[in-house]
């Protein structure tokens, strides 16, 4: 996806609908030229307001539909803006469930203008099945006790810290928002099951010996719905290092009240065991704790208890920064 | 898929191209009315030769394209037979990579005649994500040290033996051929990654307390390409019992010379650990050994060594029968 971006916010009725847009703006502000909001739009990124013509004149390469309408559909009155952007010479990316390419008039406009449509939830690439063959370069993978416990933000914070230190690092997005933020990657949960590991291999190709891919994790080996995505991503990434992500106030797996969270040690061990299949030298590097639900007075204790239990640094990357984790990379 | 079946063999040039057809005939002879072969066809199932009109007159419900052309495509001169079958009032099922529904003239014929097209490699159902909620009835899942080590045939042999003993059992196909044989199920490796476990839950629904689903396994937890499919199938099946399938002469994972086979104990333990996430009472029931590459003089020794190592009965279901495994079900 070619930056800079024009972020299309439509006329969504709440800020939460613009979660993806916020992710892009928080982590790639340098790529965000402006926002396009229709009448009635409640979401606001605080970016400059811009029309499609203004964005194009400023060199924008891509308009991103970075909001979710109800049901993940494209509102019919949004389609003309997509077509206008294509005709103006921009590519258009979308994280909606409904595909842009399924609108004949949008597809026709893309073909006529020679621009690309990126339906991020519907990978177009044809992946190969995984091979497990060792690649050059190093990889750090986020794994978790559950879904939605900070894997994406941990990876992004680690990449940012490494770059600030002058270390060669590339964030690799594996979910819809992560792909939008990185302007590439693959929504790995949308890949056909046979190709999960193969897609993860494609995602983090051969690289310089001292380069780190910082790979956004997905799901959890202990989640009864999504462990297949998780293990495929582990095997395909062949990580050199793992960061365990954890939300310490959670009492059960997300959306599944009957399913308890795994113990931290049990969870880390299971992830290391799975990772050894394609990289026998894999190491645990640290614990990334999403502590925003922990009372401030208990935060230090919670982090210390986790660090002591696992013998690893435990930090909240959004509060403490991920420095203690980055310190341990080699 | 409505039996009886007319098996369409086209004009394939070798018997191997008819592997799926052989599976259906070997395991569901009672559903096979006849075969339809075009001039030059080398494959032969030994079934009665029948035209579409004859098959329909005899009450055939489905014509199955049970062969693979080069590349998994539908040969252009096969299409008229598909259309003739639809017009005669039969559904048509296909295991080809290329979808029948992508041929406009075939789709039109299906719509006009009100018949169904089953593209077995392309599941049409919309699955939910898995929940891990316990279901009634019992489930026996085949797991393996590798791909292609007898999981399908083990499950089919166990179902057959149980039925012969008057025990309630249903084979659940999870691969292309297994789905064709069972006339239902889902090619689980073709499902989108997020829905692997959900599809496995759908595949083996609530049932009578003493009923066993005998579920065809896929891949291996130790295969760097396919472990995602395997673990999703384990979690979604929530098996009460596991049968470990193994081909003892193999020196590396199928098609991956650099990837060693796991030890039997290590492999069984990893599968039990994964299965405990959704069924903490899961038990290992037996070992199914594909011994067709083992010299006859060594067969007994090989089986005994495996049985001793794991403390479980070890049989080749195609030679010894699966009785020793079925004996241990409850």
């Amino acid at each position: 996806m070619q930056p800079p971006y024009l972020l299309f916010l439509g006329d969504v009725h709440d800020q939460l609908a613009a979660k993806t847009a916020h992710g892009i703006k928080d982590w790639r502000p340098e790529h965000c030229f402006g926002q396009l909001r229709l009448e009635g739009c409640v979401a606001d990124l605080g970016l400059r307001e811009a029309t499609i013509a203004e964005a194009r004149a400023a060199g924008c390469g891509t308009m991103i539909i970075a909001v979710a309408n109800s049901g993940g559909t494209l509102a019919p009155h949004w389609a003309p803006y997509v077509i206008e952007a294509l005709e103006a010479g921009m590519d258009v990316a979308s994280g909606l469930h409904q595909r842009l390419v399924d609108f004949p008039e949008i597809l026709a406009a893309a073909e006529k203008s020679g621009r690309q449509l990126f339906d991020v939830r519907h990978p177009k690439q044809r992946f190969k099945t995984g091979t497990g063959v060792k690649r050059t370069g190093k990889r750090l993978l986020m794994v978790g006790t559950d879904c939605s416990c900070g894997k994406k933000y941990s990876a992004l914070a680690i990449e940012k810290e490494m770059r600030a230190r002058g270390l060669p690092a590339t964030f690799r997005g594996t979910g819809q928002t992560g792909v939008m933020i990185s302007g590439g990657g693959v929504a790995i949960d949308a890949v056909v099951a046979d190709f999960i590991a193969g897609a993860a291999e494609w995602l983090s190709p051969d690289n310089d010996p001292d380069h780190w891919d910082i790979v956004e994790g997905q799901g959890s080996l202990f989640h009864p719905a999504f462990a297949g995505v998780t293990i495929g991503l582990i095997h395909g990434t062949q990580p050199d290092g793992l960061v365990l992500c954890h939300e310490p106030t959670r009492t059960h797996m997300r959306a599944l009240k009957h399913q308890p969270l795994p113990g931290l040690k049990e969870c880390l061990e299971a992830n290391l065991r799975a990772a050894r299949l394609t990289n026998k030298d894999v190491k645990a590097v640290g614990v990334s704790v999403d502590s925003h639900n922990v009372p401030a007075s208990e935060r230090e204790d919670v982090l210390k208890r986790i660090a002591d239990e696992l013998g690893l640094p435990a930090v909240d990357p959004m509060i403490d920064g991920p420095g203690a984790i980055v310190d341990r990379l080699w």
Side-chain angles (χ1 to χ4, degrees), chain A:
Chain A
M1 284 163 45
Q2 190 61 42
Y5 305 141
L6 174 62
L7 299 179
F8 178 88
L9 303 185
D11 46 2
V12 293
H13 299 316
D14 59 280
Q15 281 285 9
L16 202 67
K19 219 181 78 173
T20 298
H22 276 284
I24 300 170
K25 187 215 147 195
D26 286 350
W27 294 101
R28 293 293 181 266
E30 70 279 18
H31 289 167
C32 296
F33 168 75
Q35 62 187 18
L36 171 50
R37 309 193 309 148
L38 307 185
E39 203 183 312
C41 185
V42 170
D44 185 355
L45 302 172
L47 293 172
R48 86 161 58 78
E49 310 284 344
T51 64
I52 288 169
E54 287 163 358
R56 187 55 194 146
C60 277
T62 310
M63 181 169 92
I64 303 183
I65 316 280
V67 281
N69 209 345
S70 158
T73 60
L74 186 80
H77 61 286
W78 293 2
Y81 294 90
V82 175
I83 292 168
E84 186 185 338
L86 292 165
E87 288 174 347
M90 280 190 272
D91 298 333
V92 179
S94 159
L96 298 169
H97 277 292
Q98 198 174 21
R99 302 191 302 177
L100 296 177
V101 297
D102 286 341
F103 289 80
E105 68 277 23
I106 291 176
L107 189 61
E111 281 170 359
K112 198 169 160 205
S113 62
R115 303 317 311 172
Q116 290 197 72
L117 296 170
F118 298 101
D119 283 302
V120 170
R121 279 184 200 259
H122 302 270
K124 263 191 291 195
Q125 303 98 316
R126 287 214 153 252
F127 297 104
K128 296 179 183 160
T129 56
T131 67
V133 174
K134 188 86 187 89
R135 303 190 294 286
T136 53
K138 292 176 281 192
R139 285 151 197 93
L140 185 67
L141 175 67
M142 310 299 117
V143 295
T145 49
D146 195 0
C147 302
S148 308
C149 61
K151 295 181 209 84
K152 179 172 63 249
Y153 271 48
S154 301
L156 286 159
I158 289 169
E159 184 208 39
K160 191 173 177 182
E161 172 75 15
M162 289 180 74
R163 292 197 169 184
R165 297 188 189 185
L167 300 169
T170 308
F171 169 76
R172 301 294 187 182
T174 62
Q176 188 217 150
T177 303
V179 170
M180 292 280 201
I181 292 172
S182 52
V186 56
I188 202 113
D189 55 2
V191 167
V192 167
D194 246 2
F195 302 97
I196 306 170
E201 293 185 357
W202 170 89
L203 179 70
S204 55
D206 278 321
N207 215 319
D208 296 338
D210 66 339
H211 177 274
W212 282 91
D213 274 334
I214 314 298
V215 184
E216 178 191 3
Q218 290 295 330
S220 165
L221 284 184
F222 290 84
H223 196 291
F226 305 122
V229 178
T230 309
I231 201 168
L233 187 53
I234 292 173
H235 287 166
T237 302
Q238 53 187 226
D240 301 274
L242 296 182
V243 173
L244 181 63
C245 301
H246 180 55
E247 206 285 47
T249 69
R250 220 168 274 185
T251 54
H252 57 78
M253 298 301 273
R254 193 158 178 258
L256 300 177
K257 289 205 169 146
H258 59 282
Q259 195 77 34
L261 240 70
L264 287 172
K265 260 201 174 143
E266 175 192 16
C267 182
L268 183 59
E269 266 313 312
N271 279 281
L272 286 166
R273 244 187 335 253
R276 281 189 202 109
L277 186 75
T278 54
N279 189 346
K280 64 179 175 32
D281 298 324
V282 61
K283 288 183 194 62
V285 177
V287 188
S288 177
V289 180
D290 173 0
S291 69
H292 80 277
N293 287 325
V294 178
S297 61
E298 297 170 25
R299 229 180 59 83
E300 261 185 60
D301 276 359
V302 165
L303 291 178
K304 184 172 183 315
R305 214 160 42 231
I306 293 171
D308 289 348
E309 182 182 347
L310 297 177
L312 293 170
V315 294
D316 185 328
M318 306 310 290
I319 299 176
D320 315 297
I325 291 172
V326 173
D327 287 346
R328 284 176 42 93
L329 296 178
W330 55 96

